[in-house]
Amino acid sequence: MSIKRIEAVEMEVQRAFCAENKRLLLERYGRPPKALVRAFGCAQNMDDGDKIRGMLAQMGCQFTDSVEEADIALYNTCAIRENAEQKVFGILGQATHQKEARRGMLIALCGCMAQQKEVSDRLKKSFPSVDLVFGPHALYKLPQLLHETLLHAAPGARRRVYDTEDSDGVIAEGIPTLRTDKVRAGLPIMYGCNNFCTYCVVPLVRGRERSRMPEDILAEARGLIAAGVKEITLLGQNVNSYGRDGETGMDFPELLEAVASLPGDFWVRFMTSHPRDCTRKLIDVIARSPKVCRCFHLPVQSGNDRVLRAMNRHYTRAQYLDMIRYAKETVPGIRFTSDIIVGFPGETREEFADTLSLVREVGYQSLFTFIFSPRPGTKAAGMDDPVPAKEKSRWFNELLAVQKECGMRFFDGMEGKTVKVLCEGYGKEKGILSGEKIPDGQALLMGRTEEGMVADFFGDAACIGQFVQVKVTKAQNFALAGAAVCG
Ligand code: SF4
């Protein structure tokens, strides 16, 4: 498949629409409009949210977190789970209520939900308040789509704008980005997925795998480092298949090593890795690259081979554990996190027990656990699912209990140690240090260790956005507490 890369001249056209929209929006509101941008779901969606903000900023928008103040409310949605969708419909209801009270407000919905036919049909039928709907493939066209919306949103000429055509996807470079987080940044290296896990809607809404060119990724990484970003997360639905589309001349381990070799004071993470495509070459790069965090998110989903086959995951329990074993031997101190689905259609108690035993064997630092939720259009949505919801909830709680036991072990013996923490901002008063007096001239701060452990600590507010050595005084409830010893 040849990848459709949007040409620079097309991006120029979009910039021209930004300038024209700036004029139209000023005319419409009589002042710079206020935009609310809310992104749901994965890190990729958060990054898309920053791109949406970047484009809206070029149209002269200012930003608000309150729907009561918003002239434009834009929701970048996630389709992975049913409850996330229901939440978005609830939020759209609130925005509609606002719109009824304030004429001239615009509502837009984009992201993975927008790309699903049943969702866009429902929006057409039941949410006439939504002016603009577009899928992930059309993100780079937001200026043009908003332009059409503005032309058609005039009283008497009202027509809603939809761009949700099925597509294998595109790559568009040079979309302006306004990053909300100045310390940590997601850096997409590829888009889409070719795997078709039977429960997953991503390949249906995000298109086929397509990799950005290494020079574009490295240029963006250099820009982030120069801007003071300290944590770069390389993003993709399956980063391990980076470059398989044959145009990049580099595979993922080579790209990771190239990014981690850039000069500067930063560290690198990556997500998400598919175990099938994870190689020893990748583990070797982690082992020899001091800037790559020793925390590896490797979603297993189930510990049972029959369930893994039904999920179309293309690896066995033994192959997964073999990779974990190699990583533990090769990268001293490496930690693992994972995703697990409980109650996949047809899963039995015995099969679920295999997941529990795998969790114990790996010893994950933390897990993202979900009860199976059928997604329209996927194979698993049509599979027999005889286990009652109550039973699945019991299994789910059992898994949480096992994980709690495993995860707590990482916190044993931490008191008295000094750890490197990336300080992300101010800490929450109700956290692990609640009730303790903040030393004069210091602030309550929070950050994360290389392994992803959350730490609250006292230190100089100038530490925010910097790496800090923190002496741990307390380790409880899956959090560390302490005080900065320098910086
Ligand atoms: S690898 Fe599987 S779970 Fe991950 S995005 Fe692709 S289809 Fe979905």
Side-chain angles (χ1 to χ4, degrees):
M1 183 195 92
S2 86
I3 296 166
K4 185 170 175 209
R5 296 183 192 270
I6 303 299
E7 292 184 11
V9 59
E10 168 64 29
M11 298 310 287
E12 243 346 288
V13 170
Q14 296 304 322
R15 272 190 282 280
F17 276 117
C18 282
E20 181 56 10
N21 290 351
K22 189 171 182 177
R23 187 185 65 73
L24 288 174
L25 287 166
L26 258 181
E27 236 174 65
R28 184 180 173 93
Y29 298 107
R31 55 174 165 72
K34 286 197 174 162
L36 164 77
V37 179
R38 274 193 73 181
F40 302 85
C42 66
Q44 176 71 66
N45 247 21
M46 298 300 149
D47 184 73
D48 286 349
D50 287 348
K51 290 192 166 79
I52 290 166
R53 275 186 207 92
M55 290 185 270
L56 290 173
Q58 293 220 331
M59 299 176 212
C61 290
Q62 296 173 350
F63 295 95
T64 176
D65 289 332
S66 146
V67 71
E68 282 97 16
E69 282 184 5
D71 299 306
I72 303 171
L74 201 151
Y75 301 102
N76 188 26
T77 60
C78 168
I80 290 280
R81 264 165 275 285
E82 196 181 359
N83 56 3
E85 276 190 21
Q86 291 317 323
K87 192 171 162 191
V88 167
F89 282 117
I91 286 168
L92 276 184
Q94 289 163 16
T96 302
H97 187 63
Q98 286 300 318
K99 184 169 172 155
E100 281 158 5
R102 282 179 307 120
R103 290 175 71 83
M105 183 182 177
L106 294 173
I107 303 178
L109 186 128
C110 62
C112 294
M113 263 176 79
Q115 194 66 36
Q116 289 179 293
K117 189 169 177 319
E118 42 298 336
V119 171
S120 65
D121 287 349
R122 182 169 169 192
L123 290 170
K124 275 184 191 152
K125 203 166 145 227
S126 311
F127 287 86
S129 55
V130 178
D131 302 278
L132 168 62
V133 178
F134 59 99
H137 312 306
L139 180 82
Y140 76 96
K141 277 197 267 178
L142 169 61
Q144 183 178 350
L145 296 172
L146 191 58
H147 185 75
E148 272 180 53
T149 309
L150 287 166
L151 295 186
H152 294 303
R158 193 159 185 282
R159 181 163 69 77
R160 293 186 284 162
V161 175
Y162 276 68
D163 190 331
T164 55
E165 290 291 290
D166 263 353
S167 157
D168 281 342
V170 300
I171 290 197
E173 295 295 346
I175 301 177
T177 303
L178 186 66
R179 295 193 182 273
T180 36
D181 190 333
K182 308 284 181 225
V183 183
R184 302 179 305 153
L187 200 176
I189 61 166
M190 61 185 300
Y191 306 97
C193 184
N194 290 353
N195 280 313
F196 291 95
C197 301
T198 51
Y199 53 84
C200 181
V201 77
V202 166
L204 310 178
V205 292
R206 290 234 170 218
R208 299 292 71 74
E209 283 174 3
R210 49 212 190 272
S211 304
R212 293 179 69 196
M213 297 307 282
E215 54 273 25
D216 293 323
I217 297 166
L218 289 168
E220 192 171 335
R222 280 190 203 96
L224 292 171
I225 298 161
V229 166
K230 297 287 185 220
E231 177 178 299
I232 296 175
T233 304
L234 304 181
L235 297 176
Q237 303 300 341
N238 176 14
V239 291
N240 293 337
S241 61
Y242 174 82
R244 298 242 171 106
D245 37 38
E247 293 184 13
T248 61
M250 243 189 208
D251 63 13
F252 180 61
E254 288 159 354
L255 177 75
L256 178 65
E257 191 155 33
V259 173
S261 304
L262 292 172
D265 187 22
F266 66 98
W267 62 31
V268 191
R269 302 185 189 277
F270 55 88
M271 70 187 300
T272 299
S273 278
H274 191 302
R276 174 178 73 169
D277 302 312
C278 178
T279 57
R280 292 189 171 204
K281 183 176 174 184
L282 173 62
I283 308 288
D284 295 342
V285 167
I286 301 173
R288 64 174 178 257
S289 305
K291 287 182 187 166
V292 178
C293 294
R294 266 81 179 133
C295 187
F296 193 179
H297 185 66
L298 196 60
V300 67
Q301 308 298 2
S302 166
N304 175 271
D305 285 343
R306 192 206 62 82
V307 176
L308 287 171
R309 268 196 311 279
M311 290 176 166
N312 197 32
R313 292 290 286 176
H314 293 281
Y315 53 84
T316 62
R317 172 191 176 102
Q319 285 163 339
Y320 182 89
L321 287 172
D322 185 55
M323 193 55 71
I324 296 280
R325 206 170 302 118
Y326 182 72
K328 283 181 178 173
E329 282 162 16
T330 316
V331 188
I334 194 166
R335 309 276 174 88
F336 299 94
T337 61
S338 198
D339 299 337
I340 287 181
I341 296 173
V342 174
F344 187 77
E347 185 175 29
T348 63
R349 180 69 185 81
E350 290 68 36
E351 289 168 340
F352 170 67
D354 287 342
T355 299
L356 292 179
S357 72
L358 180 133
V359 167
R360 284 202 176 91
E361 191 165 341
V362 176
Y364 294 105
Q365 178 172 283
S366 62
L367 281 181
F368 299 89
T369 46
F370 310 97
I371 294 181
F372 171 76
S373 128
R375 306 311 298 129
T378 61
K379 271 197 179 166
M383 293 179 182
D384 273 353
D385 192 4
V387 175
K390 258 195 172 170
E391 180 68 2
K392 290 186 182 186
S393 290
R394 266 196 291 274
W395 296 358
F396 183 77
N397 290 335
E398 224 177 306
L399 176 60
L400 292 189
V402 169
Q403 176 49 32
K404 190 170 176 197
E405 210 180 283
C406 296
M408 278 309 288
R409 286 193 205 126
F410 293 102
F411 291 82
D412 290 345
M414 287 298 290
E415 287 177 17
K417 286 195 173 158
T418 299
V419 293
K420 182 179 175 182
V421 168
L422 173 57
C423 180
E424 295 170 18
Y426 291 102
K428 288 198 182 112
E429 278 172 20
K430 290 208 171 124
I432 182 170
L433 283 171
S434 106
E436 293 197 21
K437 190 176 173 314
I438 301 176
D440 288 345
Q442 296 206 350
L444 173 57
L445 304 170
M446 73 75 59
R448 254 170 264 254
T449 67
E450 172 180 352
E451 301 84 11
M453 292 169 140
V454 173
D456 279 4
F457 60 99
F458 297 127
D460 191 321
C463 293
I464 294 173
Q466 305 298 326
F467 290 111
V468 193
Q469 296 294 327
V470 171
K471 176 118 193 231
V472 178
T473 53
K474 228 197 264 185
Q476 62 188 40
N477 297 336
F478 293 96
L480 304 174
V485 290
C486 63

